[in-house]
Amino acid sequence: MLKDFAKLETFLIVVRERSFSKASAKLGISQPAVTQQIKYIEEYLDTKIIERKKNGVKLTKDGEKLLTIALRLERAIITAEKETMKIIKKDFSFNIGASFTIGNYILPNCLGNIKEVIKNDVFVKIDSSDNIIEALIEKKIDLALIESPIFKDNIVYREWLEDEFVLFSNSPLPKTVKKEDLLTFSWICREWGSNTRRIINETLDDVGIDCTTFDIKGVVSSSTGVKHTVLKSPKFPEESPKPTVAILSKYVVQDDLLNNSLHESKIRGCKLKRKLYLAYLKDRKNDAFVDTVSSCLMCNKNLG
């Protein structure tokens, strides 16, 4: 069993996610496959290692011991993978396709690390999620990083990061706003058809907020454009009777929030979140470079 780290990796992800279903999404395999691998480990060790609870999973005493062993093995394997990549004498450019928010605001933070690990150049193509998946199918890129799963046959999809949408303005806002407060703002929005606007509209609609009633001041075709439009809008109350606001990914605005050029507010009773995905062709599943870059991205905790 120790020779097959895939099963122990499944165990580690179940523990980290505290859920079999979430581990399934992270690994890009079915939930029954996750359950089967955990069952295999328990049969091999002849002991129970995980107990399912209503609020997640709990390790048994033997599970805690196995966790210590698995973590030690994981560290050794990561080191071994880096050393192994030095053996593969292949001079090429690894091509990553990324949707706009990921390519512009998340990926730049880890490109240097990827290049160092694979000892080759990394090229990034930035486009819509739909176009990135098409480029993956046509084998124009090696790995796709997208903002919404566009399910196609022969592609492995893995949950990568959780993204949160942020309500922000260039003028100070209350820490929390009510649903009715949203009608008192001037809005800058993404265009109809964009993944960002679709998720925002659907989430707000689920909690009884009708986005069609907003005072929309402008529609912009990119998140960067939305952000800069808000930054340069007249400030409330000195220059405008209403604050100008927008909702975008936290990754797009986090630097501006930190330097106080933008100000954030929460919408009471509403959590705007989405999953970001990593995808590759099934026939590249055992490709050393795809596997190494995927592992590098999944393990990177300092993105954005």
Side-chain angles (χ1 to χ4, degrees):
M1 190 266 294
L2 294 181
K3 295 177 181 178
D4 181 7
F5 186 72
K7 293 180 176 62
L8 286 177
E9 181 185 27
T10 299
F11 167 68
L12 283 173
I13 293 178
V14 169
V15 173
R16 286 167 177 154
E17 297 297 321
R18 304 188 72 248
S19 163
F20 278 65
S21 60
K22 290 181 179 179
S24 165
K26 286 283 185 183
L27 289 162
I29 60 176
S30 67
Q31 187 171 332
V34 172
T35 303
Q36 186 178 21
Q37 290 189 35
I38 297 300
K39 184 180 178 181
Y40 176 91
I41 295 173
E42 291 182 331
E43 289 178 349
Y44 181 89
L45 297 175
D46 194 23
T47 186
K48 191 78 173 172
I49 58 172
I50 289 179
E51 294 177 349
R52 294 195 186 194
K53 303 290 185 180
K54 288 183 178 180
N55 61 343
V57 299
K58 181 181 178 182
L59 290 177
T60 64
K61 288 185 178 179
D62 286 332
E64 293 283 358
K65 293 176 183 177
L66 181 62
L67 177 61
T68 300
I69 296 168
L71 288 171
R72 192 160 64 241
L73 278 169
E74 182 185 49
R75 289 191 294 270
I77 287 172
I78 290 172
T79 300
E81 282 180 340
K82 291 179 179 179
E83 294 300 316
T84 302
M85 295 310 294
K86 296 176 183 178
I87 299 173
I88 303 175
K89 307 296 183 183
K90 189 175 181 182
D91 187 18
F92 75 117
S93 179
F94 189 88
N95 297 307
I96 297 176
S99 52
F100 293 108
T101 295
I102 296 172
N104 289 321
Y105 295 98
I106 302 177
L107 200 52
N109 295 294
C110 52
L111 278 181
N113 190 32
I114 293 172
K115 183 174 180 178
E116 180 183 348
V117 169
I118 66 172
K119 307 299 179 185
N120 274 287
D121 290 333
V122 180
F123 172 79
V124 179
K125 172 185 173 64
I126 300 175
D127 207 329
S128 67
S129 293
D130 295 276
N131 290 339
I132 292 302
I133 289 299
E134 286 305 313
L136 182 66
I137 292 170
E138 294 170 4
K139 299 186 177 182
K140 294 178 180 178
I141 59 174
D142 302 297
L143 188 69
L145 303 173
I146 54 176
E147 297 167 28
S148 61
I150 302 164
F151 293 112
K152 302 277 188 178
D153 292 338
N154 301 318
I155 296 178
V156 175
Y157 297 87
R158 299 176 65 179
E159 282 187 8
W160 177 35
L161 299 173
E162 183 174 78
D163 189 13
E164 180 181 0
F165 287 102
V166 174
L167 172 70
F168 65 93
S169 174
N170 64 348
S171 306
L173 295 172
K175 288 186 177 180
T176 305
V177 297
K178 302 175 184 177
K179 296 178 186 178
E180 53 267 30
D181 294 331
L182 302 179
L183 300 176
T184 67
F185 302 145
S186 293
W187 286 82
I188 306 297
C189 300
R190 284 292 305 275
E191 77 281 12
W192 286 105
S194 71
N195 181 53
T196 296
R197 185 156 180 175
R198 178 184 61 79
I199 292 174
I200 292 170
N201 282 12
E202 289 176 356
T203 305
L204 293 180
D205 186 62
D206 286 343
V207 294
I209 301 172
D210 184 0
C211 297
T212 62
T213 61
F214 288 175
D215 176 16
I216 298 178
K217 183 178 178 181
V219 177
V220 183
S221 64
S222 74
S223 294
T224 302
V226 170
K227 178 177 76 169
H228 286 294
T229 301
V230 174
L231 279 167
K232 295 183 180 299
S233 294
K235 291 193 174 184
F236 170 81
E238 300 90 344
E239 303 168 329
S240 172
K242 293 181 177 182
T244 298
V245 304
I247 297 177
L248 290 176
S249 162
K250 66 179 180 181
Y251 291 108
V252 177
V253 297
Q254 60 186 359
D255 289 342
D256 303 276
L257 293 173
L258 286 171
N259 65 29
N260 292 318
S261 56
L262 290 175
H263 306 273
E264 175 187 2
S265 182
K266 303 288 185 184
I267 303 173
R268 185 173 297 174
C270 182
K271 291 184 178 180
L272 289 159
K273 294 185 178 182
R274 66 176 171 184
K275 298 292 185 181
L276 304 180
Y277 292 82
L278 178 156
Y280 48 84
L281 295 175
K282 287 182 179 178
D283 60 12
R284 297 286 302 278
K285 186 175 182 179
N286 296 317
D287 182 286
F289 290 93
V290 170
D291 181 59
T292 299
V293 175
S294 298
S295 297
C296 182
L297 288 166
M298 295 295 289
C299 294
N300 200 321
K301 305 301 182 182
N302 300 309
L303 297 171

